[in-house]
Amino acid sequence: MSGRLNHYIKGYLKIQITGYGPERFLNLCGTKGIELWEINDTGGIIYSCISLKNFWEIRPMARKARVKIRVVSRYGFPFFLHRNRKRKLFAAGLLCFFISLYILSLFIWDIHFEGNSQYSYEVLLKYCMTQDVHYGMKKSQVDCQALEEGLRSAFPEITWVSAQVSGTRLMIKIKENQAISRIPEKEETPGDLVASRDGVITSMIVRRGMPLVSVGDEVKQGQILVSGALPVTDDGGQVIKTNYVHSDGDIIASTSYEFSRNLPLFAQTEVKTGRIRKGMYVQAGSHSFFFLLPRPEGTSWNVLTEEKQLHLFENFYLPVYWGNIRAEEFISYEHPYTDEEKKEAAEKFSSEIWKNLRGKGVQILKNHVKILDNESLCQITVEIQAEESIGSFQAVQVPTEELKETNNLNERN
């Protein structure tokens, strides 16, 4: 609790010190450990603040320093109660307020995550809700140890979790592993590598399996590139059995993409008029109250809000929200796309495609953007030449009689 709040709750006085030795009086109070603050010397008359408890202990020091003490003002909760002692309804309302505050302090009104970078706040909060940990639940029902264990099990990259309830806030501190959490297990499922797209093979590295294509071959989507079926022949070249392995390799091919997007001939543009309406809103639990002048009929407005949550102390949050509302009027109209706007739209469309393909590991070699106009719309076409890995694993059904031999082969490898 801060010193200022402590003084207010216990009550304090503003006193006037006059007489022979006010400086000696201050020194005597300091020696006895009596706290004085907001000391102000106005030319022989000293004003200071002192707690209600310490006020009754300064008489010996005042007599010794030959000073007179006069109370100028009274502050704090005890004096507030004394002034309003005859206001029964006010006292009842104040009592209800503190009872409500106590009841609200028994629940969780804010869930705070700290240290998370790989997992977003929304993802972690959604998991907590699946474990019946949510806003408005009783603090006594929060099992911090179970929540910690659950988070570590559900999210492999989380190596350390600390959950604790402070005030009306559930504090969850997280440490994530930045390195690879585990070494992938070797996959032994028999299968082939097939082409995930049409293309022309530019390079091949086959680690397991039998290659069926070579560099320079043109392949179609779904075509088998590396077979997981390894035939075993006798001296005469006859196939006596077939072993099946999990095909593995890097198959790189030159591929092509074509994307199109249609734009209408007219663009919708919004222009601010400069007229602004300001207001505020308050939300208590599920009840909301908005204070904003109604918009004139036939006008359009964009509304922005800024929300804050009420908290008395650092970790004492309450289910009360408020915020400012700012509404800006705008008018919209249609106009034909200019050549510059078409070019900007094409560049934005091309940038979106590049970002999406690069996220999938596609290396873009060339791209060509075309803008075609006709009577009804404008068409943007993006043609891309790329290079990417097209080997996609596809499991195969192994005959029962050969399954045992395949398993023995995998164990030896």
Side-chain angles (χ1 to χ4, degrees):
M1 185 182 299
S2 65
R4 188 169 189 148
L5 181 61
N6 186 41
H7 292 320
Y8 180 83
I9 292 176
K10 295 182 178 180
Y12 67 96
L13 306 169
K14 184 174 183 181
I15 59 175
Q16 181 189 77
I17 307 169
T18 58
Y20 178 75
E23 291 81 4
R24 187 185 179 194
F25 171 76
L26 296 178
N27 291 333
L28 289 172
C29 289
T31 303
K32 295 294 184 179
I34 295 176
E35 182 185 7
L36 299 172
W37 68 93
E38 294 186 10
I39 300 173
N40 186 19
D41 188 350
T42 59
I45 301 176
I46 295 179
Y47 294 91
S48 176
C49 292
I50 185 172
S51 68
L52 184 59
K53 177 183 177 182
N54 288 337
F55 177 75
W56 305 109
E57 301 175 1
I58 63 174
R59 288 185 179 181
M61 280 77 80
R63 286 195 298 268
K64 187 176 291 188
R66 289 189 286 176
V67 296
K68 292 182 179 181
I69 307 296
R70 186 172 72 88
V71 177
V72 178
S73 303
R74 298 170 176 83
Y75 303 96
F77 191 63
F79 301 109
F80 174 79
L81 292 178
H82 181 74
R83 288 193 298 267
N84 296 279
R85 62 188 182 278
K86 294 183 179 180
R87 300 181 180 178
K88 296 180 180 179
L89 291 178
F90 178 80
L94 192 63
L95 179 62
C96 290
F97 169 77
F98 283 107
I99 292 176
S100 300
L101 201 62
Y102 170 74
I103 294 174
L104 290 173
S105 69
L106 302 177
F107 299 85
I108 295 292
W109 298 116
D110 183 64
I111 300 177
H112 176 73
F113 296 96
E114 183 179 327
N116 56 302
S117 58
Q118 299 186 48
Y119 301 106
S120 66
Y121 174 86
E122 290 75 16
V123 170
L124 295 174
L125 182 61
K126 186 177 181 180
Y127 170 79
C128 289
M129 294 180 68
T130 62
Q131 304 301 305
D132 291 331
V133 177
H134 52 83
Y135 295 100
M137 70 178 300
K138 287 185 177 181
K139 295 194 296 184
S140 59
Q141 295 178 348
V142 180
D143 189 341
C144 292
Q145 184 176 356
L147 181 60
E148 292 170 357
E149 294 174 355
L151 285 168
R152 286 194 297 267
S153 300
F155 302 97
E157 299 302 324
I158 295 179
T159 58
W160 178 84
V161 183
S162 173
Q164 64 176 359
V165 176
S166 178
T168 60
R169 207 177 193 194
L170 176 58
M171 309 283 292
I172 303 176
K173 296 182 180 180
I174 292 172
K175 286 186 179 179
E176 298 175 343
N177 187 11
Q178 302 300 325
I180 299 177
S181 59
R182 61 183 182 275
I183 299 175
E185 295 182 1
K186 187 177 180 181
E187 182 62 63
E188 299 293 351
T189 304
D192 306 324
L193 289 183
V194 300
S196 58
R197 289 187 60 82
D198 297 350
V200 177
I201 305 296
T202 58
S203 70
M204 289 184 63
I205 299 176
V206 179
R207 288 180 285 271
R208 297 180 72 184
M210 184 173 65
L212 302 182
V213 294
S214 58
V215 174
D217 289 351
E218 182 176 350
V219 297
K220 299 294 183 180
Q221 182 178 359
Q223 180 179 341
I224 298 177
L225 307 177
V226 179
S227 174
L230 302 178
V232 179
T233 60
D234 57 15
D235 295 337
Q238 295 294 323
V239 177
I240 57 176
K241 64 178 179 179
T242 303
N243 293 327
Y244 291 85
V245 298
H246 181 94
S247 298
D248 184 26
D250 297 325
I251 316 297
I252 308 299
S254 174
T255 58
S256 60
Y257 292 84
E258 183 175 313
F259 302 90
S260 296
R261 175 176 290 179
N262 295 329
L263 294 178
L265 292 180
F266 293 90
Q268 192 80 15
T269 302
E270 295 182 357
V271 179
K272 296 180 181 179
T273 64
R275 295 178 62 188
I276 296 175
R277 293 181 297 138
K278 293 183 178 180
M280 63 177 297
Y281 78 96
V282 178
Q283 180 179 343
S286 59
H287 302 284
S288 301
F289 305 93
F290 291 84
F291 305 95
L292 183 68
L293 292 175
R295 67 178 185 180
E297 187 176 353
T299 59
S300 301
W301 299 75
N302 287 324
V303 180
L304 303 175
T305 60
E306 295 180 358
E307 184 178 271
K308 296 180 181 179
Q309 186 174 1
L310 177 64
H311 59 97
L312 302 182
F313 309 105
E314 181 180 359
N315 293 321
F316 195 90
Y317 280 70
L318 297 174
V320 178
Y321 305 84
W322 80 95
N324 297 321
I325 304 174
R326 179 184 175 90
E328 299 179 346
E329 185 187 24
F330 68 91
I331 56 175
S332 60
Y333 63 93
E334 291 184 344
H335 68 89
Y337 274 99
T338 64
D339 292 341
E340 187 65 26
E341 288 174 332
K342 293 177 184 178
K343 185 177 179 181
E344 289 179 1
E347 290 178 353
K348 182 179 179 181
F349 181 44
S350 177
S351 178
E352 292 174 358
I353 295 172
W354 275 53
K355 183 178 179 180
N356 183 41
L357 292 179
R358 284 178 172 174
K360 297 178 180 179
V362 178
Q363 181 181 359
I364 298 174
L365 304 178
K366 296 180 182 179
N367 83 307
H368 179 62
V369 181
K370 295 187 295 184
I371 302 176
L372 303 175
D373 289 321
N374 57 38
E375 296 180 355
S376 58
L377 51 82
C378 170
Q379 185 180 63
I380 300 173
T381 302
V382 179
E383 298 175 350
I384 291 178
Q385 288 294 324
E387 198 171 61
E388 61 183 297
S389 174
I390 63 168
S392 177
F393 179 78
Q394 179 177 283
V396 297
Q397 188 68 33
V398 180
T400 306
E401 61 273 10
E402 298 178 355
L403 183 59
K404 184 175 180 181
E405 293 186 10
T406 298
N407 292 335
N408 292 334
L409 177 64
N410 289 335
E411 289 176 1
R412 290 195 298 270
N413 293 337

